[in-house]
Amino acid sequence: NRKEKQIEGEVVQPDGDAGSSIEADASAPSEVVDAPTSGARAAVGEAPGESVDPPDEELGGDSSSSAENLADDTGKTATDPKGEVQESEDFARMIDESKVEDHSRDIKVGDKVSGVLIKIGTDSSFVDFGGRSEGVIKTSELRDEGQGGKGEIRFSEGDPIEAFVMEEGQEIVLSRFLRQEDRNADFLYQAYKSGIPVEGKINATNQWGLGVDIQGVRAFCPISQIETTFVDDTEAYRDQTFSFKITEFRNQGRNIVVSRRALLEAEKDKEADEVRSGIKVGAELAGKITRLEPFGAFVDLGGGIEGLIHVSELIHQRVEHPQEVVRQGQDVKAAVIRVKNLGNKRKERISLSLKALLKDPWEELSEQFRPGTVTKGKVDALEDFGAFVELAPNVRGMVHVSEMADKRVEHPREVVSVGEEVQVAVLELDRRRKRLRLSIKQVETLEDASNLKEFQRRQQKEKDEPSGGNALIDALKRAQLVD
């Protein structure tokens, strides 16, 4: 019957309106199944056009049950207090889970984060990297490398720092590199994928490179990956501890190749960016002479950045080779005079000058060597077109071959020789181009003219002197012995 089917979870859908299942029309010729009375489980009585009315209590109970089941069928569930409590708990749990998920999306193990060191403790320090909480890093990792965590602390509170996420959860654990206790094949693979530096000790050397012990895991560093420059003696690295970057991870960690050079170059690139930020025309930079060439001297400015001092920019006088002025390994201070393609490693050109920081002797030459002046100098070089004469320290002029003598001269050596002291006349002084044009053949002419001019000047001075300046002459004039 219908009640048994309802108990089993099936719904009996009556024909017509739902109300006809409860109140049957007594005059209807159809058969009606009466609800059982108390203690009865079967339908009773059939009569055409007649129905047996159920007791009120049974009708009330059945009607309530039927209405509830019909409400279930239409999706209108009755309110259950226990269901409301369960839904509230589920909703709260979903909120908590969403918070954890948000946090996990912020960072993950292996991520590299940048932050500020806000607290340095005895064992642990704290880094604010913009997350939901501060990161914890061992204070020993802030000390000088290679001293077993007992060196001086390299950082101060407030300093920027970069580290890697080692653990996440209630506490975020950071590390500047993988420590020995974390080294195993799985973690080294994670370090390989994320680029996290690892620390290793050199326990073997040969002509091809270094054997590195990473807490029981063997790795190999090729000789070309030890330094940024060529290494010819690997034995000097034995028993030392360095940081490395894993460049190859094969055969589940049985073949690991590491590189120290990669980390050094990364550090150098960072330093190079800082150096480039200060390079501009007019800036004064400190550096070291790395090599000398006939055309100039190369200067290391730091971070692998080199500048060139052209041979003409060493000093104010003429230089045949840079070794006359500077030497390899010498510390210098130079001014930036030109910059081209800054930041492009292949096309970057930085032109420097030493003489730009020296006092220019030509600033004082206008009065000392005016055109028409006759002076002495020493011949210090001979060329086919003329002779160079040094008039003062760092000041040289040129005597063209046509100004050597009144006769035709094929080569300056026909008239002068290197080291000879000669008299020259200044014909022209060009301060902008810093050139002095001299002459030997016009010395006598200009000297005579200079002497004549000086004689005339003195005569004029004597005429301008008051006559009372000589008592003897005044007396002779009064005696009419002289005009």
Side-chain angles (χ1 to χ4, degrees):
N1 59 33
R2 188 177 65 182
K3 186 171 185 180
E4 290 175 341
K5 290 183 179 180
Q6 288 176 347
I7 293 173
E8 294 174 357
E10 297 182 7
V11 178
V12 176
Q13 181 64 39
D15 296 333
D17 296 334
S20 63
S21 64
I22 302 175
E23 297 179 0
D25 188 353
S27 62
S30 59
E31 297 180 355
V32 177
V33 179
D34 296 332
T37 59
S38 57
R41 295 300 178 191
V44 294
E46 285 185 16
E50 184 178 358
S51 64
V52 179
D53 294 332
D56 292 341
E57 56 178 339
E58 290 292 329
L59 178 61
D62 251 357
S63 298
S64 175
S65 176
S66 300
E68 181 179 346
N69 288 328
L70 289 172
D72 288 342
D73 291 343
T74 58
K76 299 179 182 179
T77 307
T79 303
D80 185 355
K82 293 183 179 180
E84 290 182 352
V85 175
Q86 183 65 32
E87 289 180 358
S88 299
E89 291 176 352
D90 292 344
F91 185 74
R93 185 174 67 255
M94 290 171 62
I95 293 177
D96 292 339
E97 289 176 352
S98 66
K99 291 181 179 179
V100 175
E101 290 174 358
D102 288 342
H103 186 274
S104 64
R105 283 196 296 268
D106 292 340
I107 59 170
K108 61 181 181 296
V109 174
D111 282 354
K112 186 176 183 180
V113 296
S114 299
V116 177
L117 195 60
I118 59 174
K119 177 67 176 178
I120 298 178
T122 305
D123 298 320
S124 300
S125 300
F126 298 89
V127 178
D128 181 4
F129 61 93
R132 297 178 182 272
S133 62
E134 291 82 9
V136 181
I137 188 170
K138 292 183 180 179
T139 303
S140 60
E141 293 194 17
L142 308 180
R143 301 181 183 275
D144 288 332
E145 183 183 349
Q147 300 187 29
K150 297 182 180 179
E152 294 185 0
I153 294 179
R154 299 171 53 192
F155 297 83
S156 302
E157 292 182 1
D159 285 354
I161 189 172
E162 292 182 341
F164 298 92
V165 178
M166 310 301 291
E167 297 179 17
E168 60 167 326
Q170 293 183 349
E171 185 178 70
I172 300 173
V173 180
L174 305 177
S175 175
R176 292 183 58 229
F177 38 75
L178 298 186
R179 302 300 297 181
Q180 292 182 354
E181 59 267 20
D182 298 322
R183 292 168 185 160
N184 51 62
D186 292 338
F187 215 83
L188 291 181
Y189 178 74
Q190 191 176 46
Y192 163 65
K193 297 298 289 184
S194 59
I196 299 176
V198 295
E199 192 177 76
K201 185 176 182 179
I202 311 303
N203 60 3
T205 64
N206 57 34
Q207 58 182 331
W208 298 285
L210 306 174
V212 185
D213 177 23
I214 309 177
Q215 190 63 21
V217 180
R218 296 180 61 185
F220 175 68
C221 179
I223 192 170
S224 62
Q225 298 300 312
I226 299 175
E227 301 281 357
T228 56
T229 56
F230 178 73
V231 174
D232 56 1
D233 181 17
T234 58
E235 187 62 29
Y237 294 87
R238 185 183 290 273
D239 295 330
Q240 295 194 52
T241 300
F242 300 102
S243 293
F244 297 91
K245 179 180 180 180
I246 301 176
T247 56
E248 293 185 27
F249 189 98
R250 294 178 294 179
N251 299 329
Q252 298 181 343
R254 288 188 292 272
N255 292 330
I256 298 177
V257 179
V258 297
S259 171
R260 180 169 177 257
R261 177 177 179 172
L263 298 181
L264 296 177
E265 288 179 343
E267 186 67 25
K268 185 174 287 187
D269 288 343
K270 184 178 180 180
E271 183 184 354
D273 291 340
E274 295 177 359
V275 173
R276 287 190 180 96
S277 65
I279 296 178
K280 56 185 177 180
V281 175
E284 298 180 9
L285 305 177
K288 180 175 288 188
I289 303 294
T290 55
R291 68 183 191 275
L292 302 177
E293 300 291 345
F295 54 84
F298 288 91
V299 182
D300 179 14
L301 301 175
I305 299 178
E306 276 193 337
L308 173 66
I309 305 175
H310 191 266
V311 67
S312 63
E313 293 292 335
L314 290 170
I315 56 177
H316 289 284
Q317 70 184 96
R318 189 170 183 270
V319 176
E320 293 291 340
H321 195 282
Q323 63 187 6
E324 300 175 17
V325 183
V326 294
R327 67 182 186 280
Q328 188 171 342
Q330 178 181 344
D331 292 325
V332 296
K333 189 174 185 180
V336 180
I337 57 176
R338 282 184 300 275
V339 179
K340 186 177 180 181
N341 299 321
L342 188 65
N344 188 325
K345 293 183 179 180
R346 293 187 176 182
K347 298 182 179 180
E348 188 174 71
R349 299 291 183 269
I350 303 170
S351 299
L352 307 174
S353 174
L354 289 183
K355 74 177 185 181
L357 302 180
L358 301 176
K359 185 178 181 180
D360 189 356
W362 290 82
E363 295 178 358
E364 302 175 356
L365 296 182
S366 299
E367 292 296 325
Q368 186 178 357
F369 300 111
R370 287 186 291 183
T373 304
V374 177
T375 185
K376 290 183 178 182
K378 181 181 291 187
V379 179
D380 67 352
L382 297 178
E383 300 290 347
D384 293 340
F385 52 83
F388 288 94
V389 179
E390 185 179 40
L391 304 181
N394 298 329
V395 177
R396 299 198 318 167
M398 189 194 74
V399 182
H400 192 266
V401 68
S402 62
E403 293 291 334
M404 288 286 179
D406 292 328
K407 62 180 181 178
R408 179 179 175 81
V409 177
E410 295 293 337
H411 196 278
R413 61 173 170 266
E414 299 176 11
V415 182
V416 295
S417 59
V418 176
E420 180 182 352
E421 190 174 88
V422 295
Q423 272 195 320
V424 293
V426 179
L427 301 181
E428 182 185 1
L429 187 150
D430 188 342
R431 288 187 57 186
R432 185 180 65 83
R433 300 171 65 187
K434 296 183 178 180
R435 290 183 178 180
L436 272 172
R437 190 161 65 89
L438 309 176
S439 175
I440 293 178
K441 74 177 184 180
Q442 297 189 45
V443 169
E444 187 175 349
T445 302
L446 291 176
E447 195 171 38
D448 292 343
S450 179
N451 291 339
L452 178 59
K453 187 176 181 179
E454 180 65 19
F455 175 75
Q456 292 174 344
R457 187 184 65 79
R458 289 182 180 180
Q459 270 194 332
Q460 185 64 37
K461 183 178 180 181
E462 290 177 358
K463 288 182 180 181
D464 293 340
E465 288 180 355
S467 59
N470 193 322
L472 178 59
I473 292 178
D474 290 342
L476 291 174
K477 285 183 178 181
R478 284 194 300 270
Q480 297 181 349
L481 297 177
V482 296
D483 294 334

